[in-house]
Amino acid sequence: MSLRARLTLAAAAAVAIAVMLVAVVSYFIVERRLVDQVDRGLADQSQQLTGCPFISDVLTGGRAAPVIPETRMVQILFADGDTYVPPFQNGRLPINTGDRSTINQTGVLHFRNVVVNGEHLRMITRNSGCAGAGLAIVQLAAPLHDVDTTMASLRWILGVVAGAGILVAAGLGLLVARSALRPVAKLTEAAEHVAETQNLAASIDVTSHDEIGRLATSFNEMLAALAASRSQQRQLVADASHELRTPLTSLRTNIEVLESQPDMPVAQREQLLGDVVTQLEELSVLVGDLVELAREDGMPQPEALVEVRLDRLVEHAVERARLHAPRLHFEIKESQPTVLDAQRGLLERAVTNILDNAAKWSPPGGSIEIVLHVGTLTVRDHGPGIDPADLPHVFDRFYRSSAARSMPGSGLGLAIVRHAAEAHGGSVRAEPAQGGGTVIRMELPSAEPVSAITASAPDGTSTGG
């Protein structure tokens, strides 16, 4: 069953229930009021049949009949079991336990419906109001023909009205469902169009701010996110193809040279083997970056926090950077002893990425200056600097400027730096340096200076304890 049919049936059912409740309540209210009118008439008329003079007259065989309405059925049951019924009356009124209980209850009126000779009657039973031989119950019954006729007509009218109301509700429900589901139909068509054509550029016009409008907005945002994800995937494939091709081609060339020239001089062979090792290291780093990109969130997984000596971590990272870029000059201008609780591997990779980025953009023989003051690490290179248009995006995942596409890298390095800084409650930013180049500044507010005693602890990246 379609959603439109379900909404139509739900609307019709809701109206039907409401109409039926109103009809039933109205029916019983009208019936109750009509019966109350009959009860009041019976109460007034039955009062004329009580009292010791009337009962005594009945007991002595007096002329009680004229005071008894001929349109009613009357019956008097005395305490000794004798029953009085007017001579013109055809039939007797039924008596049950509730009726008999009123013989000793002065002023109590007992009403109930009875059927006598096939006629529907309303009957009242009450105490005679006399004691002794006059103790009796008086019963008076009136026909309910007019009430039954009125209620039958009312049932027919309410049935017609309820049926018409349900039909009208079904029609209106269909119109409302069609109108309400029109935006949903557009969403469905758009989703089917995207599934069929794979065109993520499709979108839906948002014309309202209600739930449907929010759904359309979310759908458009989802399509935009999918389009961006697809674009990033394509860019990743293109970057990976380009970046893997270069080291693989170089490796293949060097290995073929080594294979084809078994009598190569030792010095030349060692140089080629060194190049192979370097290219394998670059290839390992590149594959590692691609693995990180393949993660669901594109970022390293959380590690346990340990106490880390940030100054020693930076010094070790600088030593490794000097080995990877021997033609550059890495200068630690300040390294204040600093400690913090951190994810050691993530923080170490972030510092390494900052240094590698500075080395990548530095000219041959250029210098890179490092300053660590408490929890702020500043790395400045003397390269061409970052284009102002690229500056807001350098820490975005997968982002690579046009100038960076001809250089090694996966576009994840600085994104990992930002992730590491934020994971430790800090931040990172890039800005142009005076005189040219770029300054990358990572701030870690949780870092604290190391005391003189702690600073004299054994060498390592952690103080221990």
Side-chain angles (χ1 to χ4, degrees):
M1 183 181 294
S2 66
L3 179 58
R4 178 180 299 176
R6 291 199 298 269
L7 287 177
T8 302
L9 287 178
V15 173
I17 292 172
V19 170
M20 293 303 296
L21 286 175
V22 172
V24 169
V25 171
S26 301
Y27 179 86
F28 283 109
I29 289 175
V30 172
E31 183 184 42
R32 183 70 262 168
R33 293 198 175 183
L34 292 176
V35 172
D36 284 345
Q37 291 179 358
V38 175
D39 289 348
R40 285 194 296 270
L42 287 174
D44 293 339
Q45 292 173 359
S46 65
Q47 182 67 33
Q48 303 174 18
L49 304 179
T50 60
C52 292
F54 173 76
I55 298 300
S56 298
D57 195 25
V58 172
L59 288 172
T60 57
R63 299 178 62 187
V67 302
I68 302 173
E70 294 186 7
T71 57
R72 305 287 186 264
M73 294 187 70
V74 178
Q75 183 170 284
I76 299 176
L77 177 66
F78 293 95
D80 58 5
D82 289 341
T83 304
Y84 169 78
V85 177
F88 59 80
Q89 183 172 297
N90 181 20
R92 294 175 176 270
L93 296 174
I95 301 175
N96 62 15
T97 304
D99 298 331
R100 294 180 184 278
S101 66
T102 62
I103 196 168
N104 294 313
Q105 298 177 352
T106 302
V108 175
L109 306 180
H110 183 237
F111 294 94
R112 67 188 180 98
N113 293 347
V114 298
V115 177
V116 178
N117 297 329
E119 186 177 12
H120 190 204
L121 305 173
R122 183 70 172 172
M123 184 178 72
I124 183 175
T125 302
R126 64 189 303 169
N127 184 278
S128 65
C130 292
L135 183 62
I137 58 174
V138 176
Q139 294 177 296
L140 179 64
L144 290 175
H145 174 73
D146 292 341
V147 174
D148 291 341
T149 301
T150 301
M151 296 311 298
S153 299
L154 182 61
R155 283 195 297 272
W156 185 85
I157 293 172
L158 290 177
V160 171
V161 171
I166 293 172
L167 291 177
V168 171
L172 292 177
L174 181 60
L175 293 176
V176 171
R178 182 178 300 171
S179 175
L181 293 178
R182 188 174 293 113
V184 178
K186 292 182 179 179
L187 281 173
T188 303
E189 292 174 359
E192 292 174 348
H193 174 74
V194 170
E196 181 179 354
T197 64
Q198 298 295 308
N199 178 21
L200 298 179
S203 63
I204 298 176
D205 294 334
V206 180
T207 58
S208 63
H209 300 285
D210 55 8
E211 289 79 0
I212 299 297
R214 290 167 55 194
L215 179 61
T217 301
S218 299
F219 184 80
N220 291 339
E221 292 175 351
M222 179 190 68
L223 288 180
L226 288 174
S229 176
R230 174 180 290 182
S231 176
Q232 291 169 356
Q233 290 175 357
R234 289 175 176 172
Q235 190 62 59
L236 172 60
V237 171
D239 291 342
S241 300
H242 174 76
E243 291 159 8
L244 286 171
R245 186 183 298 113
T246 300
L248 287 175
T249 301
S250 180
L251 277 172
R252 179 178 178 179
T253 301
N254 289 335
I255 291 173
E256 288 176 349
V257 170
L258 288 171
E259 184 181 15
S260 63
Q261 299 182 22
D263 299 330
M264 181 183 300
V266 175
Q268 188 177 355
R269 179 178 293 274
E270 290 179 353
Q271 182 180 357
L272 282 176
L273 288 175
D275 290 343
V276 169
V277 171
T278 301
Q279 290 157 2
L280 285 174
E281 289 178 352
E282 292 179 358
L283 190 60
S284 298
V285 172
L286 177 58
V287 171
D289 286 343
L290 293 176
V291 170
E292 295 297 344
L293 285 172
R295 292 183 186 274
E296 182 179 355
D297 58 358
M299 283 300 166
Q301 299 299 308
E303 308 171 27
L305 296 179
V306 296
E307 191 176 71
V308 175
R309 278 288 299 271
L310 183 58
D311 56 310
R312 292 175 180 165
L313 185 148
V314 170
E315 291 168 4
H316 293 166
V318 169
E319 290 299 323
R320 289 195 300 271
R322 285 171 177 159
L323 293 176
H324 293 155
R327 298 181 180 180
L328 299 178
H329 177 61
F330 291 85
E331 179 184 2
I332 300 178
K333 288 195 167 184
E334 180 183 353
S335 181
Q336 183 178 16
T338 306
V339 67
L340 78 161
D341 291 334
Q343 301 177 40
R344 184 181 181 280
L346 179 60
L347 192 57
E348 187 173 21
R349 184 169 185 184
V351 174
T352 299
N353 287 352
I354 295 175
L355 295 172
D356 288 346
N357 182 77
K360 181 169 67 174
W361 293 102
S362 294
S367 62
I368 298 172
E369 299 155 7
I370 301 100
V371 173
L372 175 64
H373 183 71
V374 190
T376 300
L377 173 65
T378 303
V379 177
R380 186 256 171 93
D381 64 61
H382 293 268
I386 301 175
D387 190 291
D390 296 324
L391 199 58
H393 307 290
V394 293
F395 294 102
D396 293 346
R397 286 185 296 178
F398 317 119
Y399 183 79
R400 300 189 71 197
S401 66
S402 56
R405 297 197 179 279
S406 61
M407 305 178 70
S410 62
L412 186 65
L414 292 183
I416 292 176
V417 174
R418 182 172 67 178
H419 172 70
E422 293 177 350
H424 294 88
S427 61
V428 63
R429 65 181 184 272
E431 56 193 33
Q434 268 189 333
T438 301
V439 174
I440 292 183
R441 184 174 286 105
M442 181 171 67
E443 297 180 354
L444 303 172
S446 60
E448 297 178 352
V450 180
S451 64
I453 297 177
T454 306
S456 63
D459 186 31
T461 57
S462 173
T463 60

